[in-house]
Amino acid sequence: MPGKGVVLFDSDAGVKIIKQVCEEEGVSLALLTDLLDAELEQVGKARKRGLRDRFDEILDGDYED
């Protein structure tokens, strides 16, 4: 789960908000965290080579709401 770089994940209240919004929007928390992790892996790189493919791979995965 993302921690560094995503301040909301640093507190119980923040995680509660994220879970609530995910539920309201019909997005699984696991999907959101995988997408965030993929983005955070690219932080500091001049080019985010392969990020779009990684997003496609994640979005093609099996996530339950």
Side-chain angles (χ1 to χ4, degrees):
M1 182 175 285
K4 295 180 182 180
V6 183
V7 178
L8 281 174
F9 281 103
D10 291 339
S11 70
D12 291 338
V15 172
K16 183 178 177 181
I17 291 168
I18 292 169
K19 286 180 179 179
Q20 179 182 347
V21 172
C22 283
E23 187 176 307
E24 290 171 3
E25 297 299 324
V27 175
S28 75
L29 181 60
L31 173 60
L32 175 66
T33 57
D34 284 352
L35 291 169
L36 286 170
D37 284 339
E39 175 67 31
L40 291 172
E41 289 171 6
Q42 300 290 326
V43 169
K45 295 182 179 179
R47 296 190 63 178
K48 297 184 179 189
R49 193 167 296 197
L51 183 59
R52 193 173 295 174
D53 292 336
R54 181 69 181 121
F55 279 175
D56 287 342
E57 179 182 308
I58 292 168
L59 292 170
D60 286 342
D62 187 23
Y63 293 90
E64 295 182 20
D65 293 340

